[in-house]
């Protein structure tokens, strides 16, 4: 009984191992890790649709070094704990390249595992500076840093000559990081910071905060965080007749904020990566998305597309599938992508990336602010 | 004057949220009072109430109904019916079969039910935040010469009044009605009550139904007050309401009300005068302090060991 059971177990595990090996030999697996569910799934949709499109188009053009790219998708719910589980699963599945993760707080713990296991990671969305500050060899991004985005927001607010500014954040890596950058920029410009305070992500009641903002008589409020909290703050601020201009990072700039805040989202200021889908050279790509019924205008669609493309171009430039060779090739080369020409510095950050200030409207559209 | 207005505004904010906590806390405290278990799925019942109310409101508005009180009453009834049948079903499926076993078993069963319901709504309604239409807008504004304006919105008044009505009705029900008397009897001694001819199963079901209906009321009110709902929001509110129940003395209905209000006010005062970051630190620190000096909570009766 025991021996036969053992035999069966061995047989199954061998065949599973063989299946895995057979799969890996024929294709290059590209892991896509991001939130498919959870409160920021909207951003995950952008990431997945961009990366899928890139894989599809690269395969249609003959793949990479004669091999097809295969997408392997993972849901991390933008939760650091689940991100670690996802990273371990990727390791087990033998994936060598990851497009992800999305939230900085997920990317950070996951990247520790990738670096240890020799997996190349390109995040299309995580803007926390700490991710590339640790001297990791295999970590790249196709997006700018909070340390670039914060000053853009801070300089904009300072240029409007505000009386007093409040800076609020959600105590998470992304939100607090960017809020700190904004505060420091404002301080340098001599703007009075009336308060710098954290709220709890997932909270629903911001009436006390709004009362405090009213009392502090601020005319600008910067919020570092995501749309579920800012949406409610905007709405509750409007109900309490708080007369202040709100501003947030790209984490709040999506249409879900309109369903939460409704009319109160009109006039919100957001720093976003430039609209890559408006660039003339991306016309055919935009059309390809539209033919598929997908929206290429989200901030992370084309950065994800570019991330896949960079992995593919890196493999070809290195003429090797070893992630360390690919990383070296990415650092030394210069690559053309829909988000422009990409060159990497030693840390794995793009040498140049700009953020633009937009004004958000209650119908979900946005207009650039000069 | 300025400071007084600010204080009153924070007090109003705290009392509003506190009365809603109290409504949810009733469900925890009644169930604990009667069968001595903590119904961890109660927060999810509240969340389902909010979702049902939103679906009803959306449906009614789509049908072209415009008279606000009617929309609210129908939505409230729908939410109460769905939530209370859910509360009833949860008891039948997850708690009754394990009742009377070791304490841990119903507890684990309750946590399982909570996870199940949360994920069920995730799947059925999606995991994103859904905006809740602000049906009751406007309010009174008070201002002394200065710039700060205190506002008391109609929504906040609605929450106070509804809570007050629900609490009074519940107290009357428990103290005057036949079922209420049976509830008290079962809570004092389940075995003896059943020997005296009380259908204890029916009373326990009734407790779950009452708790769930009040949670549904809170779901509708808080959904409108906050402005958005998501499948996870029952979890946090449930945790807060459970704290309120323990603070006031679990098993005691006036205790749940008091606990809710204290928790709400301490939260808003902490965010108002200290920082929002310390909100939970202070409320849970308060809980620990009260439990240290009065282990049964503020209004809880000390448990006498039965011989």
């Amino acid at each position: 009984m025991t021996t036969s059971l053992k035999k069966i177990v061995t047989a199954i595990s061998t065949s599973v191992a063989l299946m895995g090996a057979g799969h890996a030999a024929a294709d290059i697996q590209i892991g896509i890790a991001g939130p498919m569910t959870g409160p920021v799934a909207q951003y995950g949709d952008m990431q997945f649709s961009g990366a899928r499109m890139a894989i599809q188009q690269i395969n249609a053009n003959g793949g990479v070094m004669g091999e097809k790219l295969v997408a392997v998708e993972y849901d991390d719910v933008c939760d650091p704990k689940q991100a670690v589980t996802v990273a371990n699963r990727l390791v087990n599945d033998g994936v060598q390249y990851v497009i992800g993760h999305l939230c900085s707080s997920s990317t950070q713990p996951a990247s520790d595992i990738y670096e240890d296991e020799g997996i190349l990671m390109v995040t299309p969305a995580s803007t926390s500076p700490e991710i590339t500050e640790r001297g990791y060899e295999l970590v790249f991004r196709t997006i700018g840093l909070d340390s670039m985005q914060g000053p853009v927001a801070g300089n904009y607010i300072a240029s409007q000559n505000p009386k007093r500014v409040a800076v609020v954040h959600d105590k998470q890596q992304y939100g607090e990081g960017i809020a700190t950058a904004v505060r420091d920029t404002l301080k340098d410009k001599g703007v009075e910071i009336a308060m710098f305070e954290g709220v709890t992500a997932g909270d629903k009641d911001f009436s006390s905060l709004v009362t405090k903002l009213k009392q502090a008589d601020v005319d600008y409020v910067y919020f570092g965080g995501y749309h579920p909290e800012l949406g409610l703050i905007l709405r509750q601020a409007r109900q309490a007749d708080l007369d202040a201009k709100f501003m947030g990072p790209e984490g709040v700039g999506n249409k879900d904020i309109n369903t939460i805040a409704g009319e109160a989202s009109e006039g919100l200021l957001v720093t976003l990566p430039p609209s890559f889908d408006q660039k003339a050279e991306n016309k055919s790509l935009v059309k390809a998305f539209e033919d598929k019924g997908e929206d290429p205008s989200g901030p992370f669609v084309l950065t994800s597309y570019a991330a896949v493309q960079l992995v593919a171009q890196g493999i070809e430039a290195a003429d090797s599938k070893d992630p360390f060779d690919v990383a070296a090739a990415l650092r030394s080369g210069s690559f053309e992508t829909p988000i422009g020409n990409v060159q990497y510095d030693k840390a794995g950050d793009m040498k140049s990336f700009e953020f633009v200030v937009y004004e958000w409207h209650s119908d979900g559209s946005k207009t650039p602010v000069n | 004057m300025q400071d007084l207005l600010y204080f009153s505004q924070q007090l109003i904010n705290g009392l509003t949220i506190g009365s809603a906590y109290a409504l949810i806390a009733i469900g925890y405290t009644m169930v604990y009072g009667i069968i001595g278990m903590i119904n961890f799925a109660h927060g999810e019942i509240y969340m389902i109430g909010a979702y049902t109310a939103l679906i009803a409101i959306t449906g009614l508005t789509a049908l072209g109904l415009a008279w606000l009180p009617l929309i609210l009453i129908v939505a409230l009834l729908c939410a109460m019916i769905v939530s209370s049948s859910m509360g009833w079903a949860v008891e039948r499926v997850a708690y009754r079969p394990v009742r009377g076993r070791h304490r841990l078993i119903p507890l684990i069963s309750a946590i399982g039910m909570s996870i199940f319901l949360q994920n069920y709504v995730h799947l059925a309604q999606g995991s994103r935040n859904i905006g809740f239409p602000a049906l009751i807008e406007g309010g009174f504004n008070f201002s002394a010469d200065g710039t700060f304006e205190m506002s008391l919105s109609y929504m906040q008044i609605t929450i106070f009044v509804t809570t007050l009505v629900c609490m009074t009705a519940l107290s009357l029900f428990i103290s005057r009605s036949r079922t209420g008397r049976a509830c008290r009897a079962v809570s004092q001694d389940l075995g003896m009550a059943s020997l005296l001819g009380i259908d204890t199963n029916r009373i326990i079901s009734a407790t779950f139904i009452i708790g769930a209906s009040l949670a549904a009321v809170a779901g509708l009110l808080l959904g409108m007050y906050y402005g958005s709902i998501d499948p996870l929001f029952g979890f946090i509110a449930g945790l807060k309401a459970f704290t309120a129940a323990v603070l006031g003395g679990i098993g005691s209905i006036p205790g749940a009300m008091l606990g809710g209000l204290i928790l709400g006010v301490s939260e808003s005062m902490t965010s108002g005068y200290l920082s929002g970051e310390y909100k939970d630190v202070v409320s849970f620190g308060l809980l620990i302090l009260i439990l240290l000096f009065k282990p049964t909570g503020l209004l809880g009766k000390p448990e006498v060991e039965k011989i």
Side-chain angles (χ1 to χ4, degrees):
Chain A
M1 178 65 197
T2 347
T3 28
S4 64
L5 196 69
K6 252 185 192 164
K7 267 182 196 162
I8 294 172
V9 171
T10 330
I12 290 174
S13 49
T14 328
S15 56
V16 168
L18 282 177
M19 268 154 54
H23 192 62
D27 304 307
I28 300 173
Q29 296 188 68
I30 305 280
I32 314 173
M36 294 178 188
T37 58
V40 294
Q42 170 123 8
Y43 292 117
D45 291 349
M46 298 176 192
Q47 181 192 354
F48 285 102
S49 83
R52 279 182 204 135
M53 174 64 82
I55 291 173
Q56 192 189 336
Q57 291 195 343
I58 290 168
N59 285 341
N61 289 328
V64 178
M65 289 170 66
E67 293 179 18
K68 293 258 181 271
L69 300 181
V70 177
V72 202
E73 301 182 355
Y74 301 87
D75 183 11
D76 73 356
V77 202
C78 186
D79 170 27
K81 293 188 285 294
Q82 303 225 35
V84 170
T85 316
V86 162
N88 285 321
R89 270 175 54 204
L90 267 150
V91 174
N92 273 339
D93 294 351
V95 177
Q96 287 191 298
Y97 309 97
V98 189
I99 308 304
H101 297 216
L102 192 112
C103 299
S104 293
S105 47
S106 293
T107 309
Q108 177 121 6
S111 62
D112 290 334
I113 297 171
Y114 300 142
E115 180 78 11
D116 283 347
E117 300 291 335
I119 295 171
L120 180 87
M121 185 199 85
V122 186
T123 170
S126 297
T127 49
S128 167
E130 286 165 49
I131 290 166
T132 44
E133 261 170 14
R134 296 164 298 169
Y136 282 0
E137 212 176 322
L138 298 174
V139 172
F140 293 88
R141 49 180 141 205
T142 49
I143 189 107
L145 275 69
D146 295 341
S147 47
M148 306 172 179
Q149 191 175 175
V152 173
N155 284 327
Y156 176 80
I157 294 178
S159 71
Q160 303 299 304
N161 296 319
K163 277 182 301 177
R164 265 186 295 278
V165 179
V167 180
V168 182
H169 60 82
D170 65 356
K171 292 193 282 189
Q172 297 197 51
Q173 189 173 15
Y174 166 73
E176 187 164 358
I178 198 156
T180 312
V182 171
R183 181 195 60 186
D184 294 345
T185 314
L186 287 170
K187 266 191 185 158
D188 285 345
K189 298 261 169 188
V191 175
E192 186 186 340
I193 310 282
M195 56 191 261
F196 182 75
E197 195 171 305
V199 298
T200 308
D203 229 347
K204 297 266 172 203
D205 177 35
F206 297 106
S207 52
S208 297
L209 175 76
V210 168
T211 306
K212 223 171 158 180
L213 291 169
K214 252 174 107 172
Q215 166 86 336
D217 192 24
V218 292
D219 43 9
Y220 272 86
V221 181
Y222 187 86
F223 178 78
Y226 295 101
H227 60 275
E229 287 78 31
L230 182 63
L232 288 175
I233 295 176
L234 283 173
R235 185 170 168 154
Q236 293 172 18
R238 190 186 169 92
Q239 274 161 7
D241 288 326
L242 171 69
D243 185 26
K245 197 97 174 144
F246 280 83
M247 185 165 193
E250 93 285 15
V252 304
N254 73 74
K255 289 175 183 138
D256 272 8
I257 201 161
N258 301 100
T259 60
I260 300 171
E263 281 295 309
S265 58
E266 178 68 42
L268 167 72
L269 297 164
V270 189
T271 46
L272 287 170
S275 306
F276 300 115
D277 58 308
Q278 303 294 331
K279 286 168 78 176
E281 57 266 36
N282 290 336
K283 233 178 204 150
S284 62
L285 182 57
V286 167
K287 195 167 175 306
F289 276 106
E290 279 162 358
D291 289 345
K292 255 176 98 179
E294 288 173 350
D295 175 16
S297 69
F300 305 129
V301 179
L302 293 183
T303 57
S304 302
Y305 184 98
V308 175
Q309 231 186 5
L310 282 163
V311 169
Q313 293 185 16
I315 294 175
E316 277 177 345
D319 198 23
S320 154
K321 284 192 287 182
D322 180 56
F324 287 95
D325 295 341
V326 178
L330 284 177
R331 280 202 172 78
S332 56
S334 150
F335 305 92
E336 286 308 321
T337 69
I339 60 169
N341 178 274
V342 176
Q343 293 179 33
Y344 280 106
D345 64 9
K346 205 168 164 298
D349 292 323
M350 290 160 71
K351 282 186 178 158
S352 70
F353 193 89
E354 57 165 339
F355 284 96
V356 183
V357 180
Y358 285 96
E359 184 170 11
W360 200 262
H361 301 296
S362 56
D363 59 354
S365 62
K366 56 182 195 275
T367 44
V369 175
N370 302 314
Chain B
M1 191 62 200
Q2 198 74 359
D3 293 339
L4 184 68
L5 279 182
Y6 180 71
F7 176 81
S8 331
Q9 178 75 76
Q10 293 293 16
L11 191 67
I12 292 173
N13 295 340
L15 288 174
T16 312
I17 199 82
S19 25
Y21 285 160
L23 273 181
I24 312 171
I26 293 287
Y28 284 101
T29 223
M30 279 183 74
V31 166
Y32 185 86
I34 287 190
I35 50 175
M37 71 159 283
I38 292 159
N39 177 13
F40 271 110
H42 190 61
E44 272 60 48
I45 301 285
Y46 150 79
M47 178 265 298
I48 288 172
Y51 268 91
T52 316
L54 178 60
I55 293 168
I57 290 172
T58 321
L60 290 173
T61 337
L63 284 177
L65 206 67
W67 196 51
L68 187 62
L70 186 65
I71 296 182
L72 286 180
I73 287 167
V74 176
L76 190 63
L77 284 179
C78 288
M80 285 169 81
I81 290 167
V82 172
S83 281
S84 47
S85 21
M86 213 58 136
W88 176 81
V90 164
E91 196 267 333
R92 281 306 289 263
V93 173
Y95 306 151
R96 191 171 294 184
V98 294
R99 195 194 300 156
R101 308 274 182 82
H102 188 275
R103 268 166 177 267
L104 276 179
I105 296 170
L107 188 76
I108 299 293
S109 178
I111 293 174
M113 206 62 213
S114 155
I115 297 173
F116 168 78
L117 289 175
Q118 226 174 64
N119 285 286
Y120 167 71
V121 177
H122 258 297
L123 286 174
Q125 294 292 324
S127 49
R128 290 186 191 150
N129 284 264
I130 304 179
F132 212 107
L135 295 173
I136 306 176
E137 288 193 277
F140 302 107
N141 284 325
F142 307 91
S143 167
D145 51 337
T147 47
F148 184 77
E149 213 174 50
M150 189 187 91
S151 61
L152 174 62
S153 69
Y154 296 140
M155 189 64 228
Q156 288 173 319
I157 298 173
T158 313
I159 293 181
F160 294 136
V161 172
T162 317
T163 307
L164 205 67
V165 170
C166 285
M167 293 296 188
T168 320
L170 180 69
S171 307
L172 286 177
F173 176 79
I174 296 289
S175 60
R176 301 283 166 85
S177 77
R178 230 180 123 76
T179 318
R181 197 165 349 130
C183 278
R184 281 181 287 144
V186 172
S187 113
Q188 275 171 13
D189 192 330
L190 193 125
M192 194 63 208
S194 115
L195 282 179
L196 289 176
I198 295 175
D199 184 350
T200 46
N201 277 337
R202 204 178 66 86
I203 296 302
I204 292 170
S205 292
T207 315
F208 274 87
I209 289 173
I210 295 169
S213 324
L214 292 178
V217 177
L220 170 68
L221 291 175
L222 282 187
M224 280 198 286
Y225 182 58
Y226 292 151
S228 92
I229 55 175
D230 63 74
L232 283 178
F233 98 132
F235 177 74
I236 300 165
L239 202 66
K240 293 280 169 66
F242 174 62
T243 312
V246 176
L247 196 71
I250 194 149
S252 143
I253 293 175
M257 299 183 206
L258 185 68
L261 294 179
I262 291 180
L263 191 70
V265 172
S266 80
E267 276 188 359
S268 78
M269 289 301 166
T270 317
S271 352
Y273 286 98
L274 212 56
S275 158
E277 291 161 51
Y278 291 102
K279 184 166 97 173
D280 290 348
V281 180
V282 171
S283 352
F284 288 100
L286 195 69
L287 174 71
I288 294 173
L289 262 183
I290 290 180
L291 290 186
L292 276 180
F293 292 103
K294 214 163 175 311
T296 48
L298 289 174
L299 298 184
K301 286 191 204 77
E303 216 162 278
V304 184
E305 205 54 45
K306 288 173 194 128
I307 305 165

